[in-house]
Amino acid sequence: ITAFICWISTQWTSPAEIQPPTDDGHACISCHKSIVENHLLTAHYRSSAPADGTTIRGSFRSGHNHYVYNDKMEVVMEKKNGGYFQTALFNGSLYESEAFDIVIGWRKGQTYLYWDNNRLFQLPISWYAPADAWCNSPGFPTNMRYLNKVAPGNGMVCHSTSASLGTSC
């Protein structure tokens, strides 16, 4: 079942294990039609997804794609090389750049995760819906970018509808 994830493990070990639902619940619909149809309309269904131009709600337009920490450090949200990136600049020079790999959240905001080998990390900049603006990710320092915050598997339990661990229920 891809639209309704069954958790066998609380930790992902590889980016290859995350797959978007390919059937939008068709495997479940023969027995659970009304449940599947209603679920596809919920924010919970949208609460996790591979990051792309249709799932990332924040703006990448010039003038709307920056988050400034201080006069020396900022993060720019960029679309480049066919992907979406958070690029940290220090004194206007490239410091580090990481791809948006996974989107978490929908209604009130979104935070973003990236893979580094087999480890999942949270990006420092999130999108806050009420302000329709980029913001500092929850739990991150307010005066500097930080790109090493591990995203634990158990934090994904509430945001795992669109993930597949290669198992079935």
Side-chain angles (χ1 to χ4, degrees), residues 26-36:
H26 289 100
C28 306
I29 206 160
S30 62
C31 298
H32 306 284
K33 183 177 181 179
S34 65
I35 293 171
V36 171

Side-chain angles (χ1 to χ4, degrees), residues 137-148:
S137 291
F140 277 75
T142 58
N143 60 347
M144 61 182 282
R145 72 97 203 113
Y146 178 73
L147 286 166
N148 297 326

Side-chain angles (χ1 to χ4, degrees), residues 89-108:
L89 303 174
F90 184 76
N91 286 331
S93 296
L94 174 66
Y95 183 75
E96 187 170 1
S97 188
E98 296 294 346
F100 288 73
D101 289 325
I102 301 171
V103 174
I104 303 295
W106 186 257
R107 277 191 192 147
K108 295 182 180 181

Side-chain angles (χ1 to χ4, degrees), residues 54-112:
T54 63
T55 59
I56 300 170
R57 295 184 69 190
S59 177
F60 288 81
R61 291 179 324 185
S62 181
H64 301 275
N65 63 335
H66 290 251
Y67 183 82
V68 178
Y69 285 101
N70 55 49
D71 62 342
K72 296 185 187 303
M73 183 156 283
E74 69 178 312
V75 175
V76 180
M77 278 43 74
E78 301 179 294
K79 182 178 178 183
K80 62 183 181 181
N81 303 325
Y84 296 85
F85 294 82
Q86 287 192 14
T87 301
L89 303 174
F90 184 76
N91 286 331
S93 296
L94 174 66
Y95 183 75
E96 187 170 1
S97 188
E98 296 294 346
F100 288 73
D101 289 325
I102 301 171
V103 174
I104 303 295
W106 186 257
R107 277 191 192 147
K108 295 182 180 181
Q110 290 183 323
T111 197
Y112 308 96

Side-chain angles (χ1 to χ4, degrees), residues 10 18 29 33 45 47 91 94 110 119-120 136-137 163 168:
T10 60
I18 294 198
I29 206 160
K33 183 177 181 179
Y45 176 76
S47 69
N91 286 331
L94 174 66
Q110 290 183 323
R119 296 180 68 198
L120 194 58
N136 197 51
S137 291
S168 61

